[in-house]
Amino acid sequence: MSVQDCIFCKIVDGTIPSAKVYEDEVCVAFNDLSPQAPTHILIIPKEHVDSLAKTEANDKETLGHLLISAAEIARGHGFADDGYRVVINTNNDGGQTVFHLHVHLLAGRQFVFPPG
Ligand code: AMP
Ligand code: ZN
């Protein structure tokens, strides 16, 4: 699939609307359309990367940025102390359905481990 057809690239450029909760020069965070918890936010890099499986050493800063942003959003929304779960579904066996790297930030209920 080309970047032109990527729904998350369209969310980055505003072609597809989203409920944004955070944005900076590197990433955008918005509410998941199909929430799996009371809070379910997706954090994506503005630059298209297919999946975690495609990242390399030069993506270190972007990957760090996504996780630090998750921690900041969690503090900002007031659920950091109660806790939350961060998930990166990767490729077919990982359950990835949208092939633009994204971090799920889930909170507001107790999560089980291992996930199904
Ligand atoms: P994954 O299965 O890890 O690839 O996650 C993709 C996520 O994107 C799912 O949780 C979907 O509900 C979510 N999603 C798909 N399209 C949209 C959209 N237009 N706006 C917000 N979330 C979306
Ligand atoms: Zn994309």
Side-chain angles (χ1 to χ4, degrees), residues 49-55 63 86-104:
V49 185
D50 286 352
S51 79
L52 186 64
K54 290 277 179 73
T55 59
L63 288 172
V86 165
V87 175
I88 303 178
N89 295 328
T90 303
N91 285 349
N92 186 58
D93 282 2
Q96 185 174 3
T97 59
V98 176
F99 284 82
H100 178 130
L101 174 65
H102 51 280
V103 170
H104 293 262

Side-chain angles (χ1 to χ4, degrees), residues 40-100:
H40 187 171
I41 293 166
L42 299 175
I43 306 159
I44 70 171
K46 286 186 167 173
E47 193 96 348
H48 181 94
V49 185
D50 286 352
S51 79
L52 186 64
K54 290 277 179 73
T55 59
E56 296 171 346
N58 63 1
D59 296 307
K60 234 183 241 177
E61 214 165 300
T62 302
L63 288 172
H65 192 98
L66 295 176
L67 290 180
I68 295 291
S69 299
E72 280 174 359
I73 292 166
R75 283 191 291 269
H77 281 67
F79 56 73
D81 287 346
D82 282 344
Y84 52 92
R85 180 159 293 177
V86 165
V87 175
I88 303 178
N89 295 328
T90 303
N91 285 349
N92 186 58
D93 282 2
Q96 185 174 3
T97 59
V98 176
F99 284 82
H100 178 130

